[in-house]
Amino acid sequence: MEEHTLKFFVDHTLGKLAKYLRMLGIDTVYFTQTDVYTLIEKASQEKRIILSRNTKLKNLDNRPNFFFISDDQPDKQLSEVLKYFKIQITPGQLFTRCLKCNQKLIAGNHDDVKGKVPPYILGIQKKFSLCPQCRKVYWKGTHLEKMEEIIGKVLKKKD
Ligand SMILES: [Zn+2]
């Protein structure tokens, strides 16, 4: 499986989009501060493309590596990004990153996740993914199914 080389830096107006990109396994930093100059500096340090709805960025002399998001609906924003950057999503990429901290998830077994998931889930699920940073546990279930549904809708809408 080929790793995506695109890395994004999403500003504070696009929290949901950041989450969607992470669902797709795309390396995405969510920047919660409002200062554009810090935003630009951090993004360029990490060689990330800025995604923003801030028109101020458009008019800067030293235009940063930046893509302007025109839509205000997160699912449409996601398809804007996928289309513009010609990102192809493979099923193996989905849900490989923590939605909270962007870390790559690692496989967890029953012992790793005991006490962190409801007991009935432990009984019915065999595979878990674990965030090495915040220790959040992910598993196939209604939560992921719902995300898959959203992603499926967006991907179908692409053309
Ligand atoms: Zn995490």
Side-chain angles (χ1 to χ4, degrees), residues 98-103 105 131-136 138:
C98 181
L99 299 188
K100 243 171 83 185
C101 43
N102 193 39
Q103 287 292 317
L105 300 176
C131 173
Q133 190 168 309
C134 72
R135 312 305 287 176
K136 190 174 160 59
Y138 295 84

Side-chain angles (χ1 to χ4, degrees), residues 72-147:
D72 59 1
Q73 285 177 43
D75 58 336
K76 290 193 181 140
Q77 293 168 345
L78 180 61
S79 60
E80 265 185 75
V81 173
L82 296 179
K83 210 183 258 178
Y84 182 81
F85 293 99
K86 298 189 173 63
I87 298 172
Q88 300 288 339
I89 302 299
T90 57
Q93 257 176 269
L94 298 175
F95 315 117
T96 52
R97 267 177 205 279
C98 181
L99 299 188
K100 243 171 83 185
C101 43
N102 193 39
Q103 287 292 317
K104 279 224 153 184
L105 300 176
I106 53 173
N109 61 31
H110 273 197
D111 288 337
D112 298 325
V113 304
K114 224 184 242 166
K116 292 185 191 114
V117 303
Y120 76 96
I121 294 293
L122 263 187
I124 55 171
Q125 292 293 332
K126 297 233 170 343
K127 282 171 81 177
F128 297 92
S129 300
L130 196 68
C131 173
Q133 190 168 309
C134 72
R135 312 305 287 176
K136 190 174 160 59
V137 179
Y138 295 84
W139 65 89
K140 277 259 174 208
T142 49
H143 183 55
L144 284 194
E145 273 161 26
K146 190 147 182 266
M147 292 198 278

